[in-house]
Amino acid sequence: MEDTQRLVHLDLKGAPPKVTYFEKIFPLMKKWGATGLLIEYEDMFPYWGDITDIASEFAYSKECIASILQLAEDNGLSVIPLVQSIGHFEFVLKLEKFRSLREVPNYPMALCPSNSDSLLAVCMMIDQVIELHPGIRSFHIGADEVYHLGVCERCKIRMLEENLTPQQLFLLHIKAVLDHIKENYPNISCIMWDDMLRHTELPLLINSSLGDLVEPMVWHYLTSFRLPPDIWDKYSKVFPNIWIASAFKGATGANVYATNIAYHVDNHTMWLNVMAKERSKFKKVQGCALTGWQRYDHYAVLCELLPQALPSLGVCLLTLQQGIFSAEIHATVSRDLNFVSLLPLNPYQRGPIPPCQFPGSEIYCAMLAFLQLDATYEELVHDERVMTWMNDYMIERKFSNPVHIEPILAQSSLILESLTKIHPQIEGALREVFYNNAVEEWLKVFVEPKIKKISDIVEKAKSQLSNT
């Protein structure tokens, strides 16, 4: 896919890297074949005026946005901003000020498409993002995974009066968003995620008039093809141009923190095979966005961080550019990131972590070391010895045999020592790239609960032994 665009998706939800980190990694992205960035700010954009509350206290400043755009330009990377327009709207709908826009009163996920203020809020957000991105040629309106449609009273009344289905409510709202962009920014083309269109009947899709307004981005992160078999024929009858979206991280588990590169190589290989077969049905396959999700949604914990997944990004970009994964690609990315030997493609296969040096390599090495330590921790916590001879009932009765407790104490003490030692290592590495809120979250979610749990085992083991 050498003649198409390759966009690196930057998911900034709640934990944006420092701008100085982008300065270090944009040249690598360019070297590996990236042509642009798909930037999903969510609440990290500095909204102002009537929607200033949407911006997180940790949001980038306008000056930061300008710096990112300049760095992208310096490295020949185009920028496509992404603003969600109906679903995944938690970062807005969690606020009391915007609660009335919810489709389901208790769920801050989807906008009500029948509330005129919903469109107003979305358009205000789009206008502000475009204002701070002068000269952009494309804009992404999100629109994926809208789990609640046509369920509020306002929508039910509208569907009855206008003889509409929930799917038509979605299409009408999306068209209104796209019309706003077309009328006010005629030189900007629009993109949307495709999943809400996949099962839409062809006549309905044709009558929606979306074919002239937007290019769908077909996303699929698995290693085998599981999309509707008629998807390409149907889309080709409506949309002249399409995009695809793969993943280089953040697609194998909501709380996974280490990237299985081999899995994502297989995903890209799958996409290359599919596109070789299907691309002739379209005027153009515009390109591929390599998604790198940082959270599964606004309320989810952080998953794989960008510095940890930089080796995966390099391998996937070059695979996409060259049309095949090869030993040469593996060796090239290993050299670019200064690995003393070939970088591991699957960190879940235990083994030594090769020394390396690249922007964020301290995070990479710390995460892989923690992964191995985490596995040892889980083995002990779920060890039948602990469940049998150190369960709460035995501890309450002070009923124990030292021959079983002593090995548990020895092993748990070693794990506690290792966890206590790696905590400041991870903290220091994270602070080089991320702001304090992201550092605190990662440690409190992934490290500190394990320290607390293993400390409890150590103390109970010592107490048991003192009673024998």
Side-chain angles (χ1 to χ4, degrees), residues 408-421:
I408 294 173
L409 176 59
Q411 187 175 357
S412 58
S413 296
L414 287 174
I415 295 173
L416 178 59
E417 181 182 357
S418 297
L419 284 170
T420 305
K421 182 178 180 181

Side-chain angles (χ1 to χ4, degrees), residues 8 10 15 108 208 267 292 384 389 392:
V8 177
L10 298 177
S208 71
N267 174 240
E384 67 173 5
W389 287 284
D392 290 343

Side-chain angles (χ1 to χ4, degrees), residues 126-246:
I126 290 173
D127 290 343
Q128 291 189 8
V129 171
I130 290 178
E131 181 176 337
L132 293 194
H133 292 76
I136 58 170
R137 301 178 64 181
S138 298
F139 192 92
H140 200 304
I141 64 164
D144 61 317
E145 298 182 330
V146 187
Y147 297 123
H148 305 108
L149 275 169
V151 295
C152 75
E153 289 304 312
R154 193 191 305 253
C155 283
K156 288 179 180 178
I157 293 172
R158 182 184 176 192
M159 287 191 295
L160 185 64
E161 292 178 346
E162 301 179 29
N163 192 27
L164 300 172
T165 65
Q167 185 67 16
Q168 287 173 307
L169 285 179
F170 171 81
L171 295 172
L172 287 169
H173 176 79
I174 293 304
K175 185 177 184 300
V177 172
L178 295 169
D179 283 339
H180 171 81
I181 297 175
K182 184 176 182 178
E183 291 168 7
N184 293 279
Y185 314 99
N187 295 324
I188 295 179
S189 62
C190 290
I191 306 168
M192 67 179 287
W193 301 119
D194 85 296
D195 56 285
M196 295 299 295
L197 308 176
R198 290 176 189 174
H199 301 286
T200 303
E201 296 180 358
L202 181 59
L204 187 59
L205 207 51
I206 293 173
N207 291 335
S208 71
S209 300
L210 294 189
D212 298 325
L213 295 171
V214 71
E215 297 170 344
M217 182 174 276
V218 186
W219 60 273
H220 193 274
Y221 307 146
L222 303 178
T223 57
S224 59
F225 194 72
R226 297 185 187 176
L227 293 175
D230 66 338
I231 189 170
W232 308 115
D233 289 332
K234 181 168 67 176
Y235 283 172
S236 66
K237 291 178 173 63
V238 182
F239 304 102
N241 303 324
I242 62 163
W243 295 74
I244 64 172
S246 59

Side-chain angles (χ1 to χ4, degrees), residues 393-453:
Y393 179 73
M394 298 302 184
I395 291 172
E396 288 175 7
R397 295 180 63 205
K398 299 180 180 180
F399 186 74
S400 63
N401 186 339
V403 73
H404 298 300
I405 304 300
E406 287 175 355
I408 294 173
L409 176 59
Q411 187 175 357
S412 58
S413 296
L414 287 174
I415 295 173
L416 178 59
E417 181 182 357
S418 297
L419 284 170
T420 305
K421 182 178 180 181
I422 205 170
H423 184 285
Q425 294 174 0
I426 294 176
E427 180 177 9
L430 290 174
R431 289 195 187 283
E432 290 295 315
V433 177
F434 294 98
Y435 299 101
N436 290 342
N437 64 308
V439 177
E440 179 182 356
E441 177 184 348
W442 208 95
L443 294 171
K444 288 188 177 298
V445 169
F446 293 103
V447 185
E448 293 175 9
K450 292 179 173 61
I451 291 178
K452 181 178 180 181
K453 176 70 174 180

Side-chain angles (χ1 to χ4, degrees), residues 257-259 303 305 307-308 347 353 361-374 422 426 429-430 434 442 446:
Y257 55 82
T259 302
C303 52
L305 300 175
Q308 179 278 144
I353 303 168
S361 59
E362 294 84 0
I363 293 177
Y364 171 85
C365 291
M367 294 295 169
L368 264 60
F370 183 72
L371 180 68
Q372 296 185 10
L373 179 56
D374 195 357
I422 205 170
I426 294 176
L430 290 174
F434 294 98
W442 208 95
F446 293 103

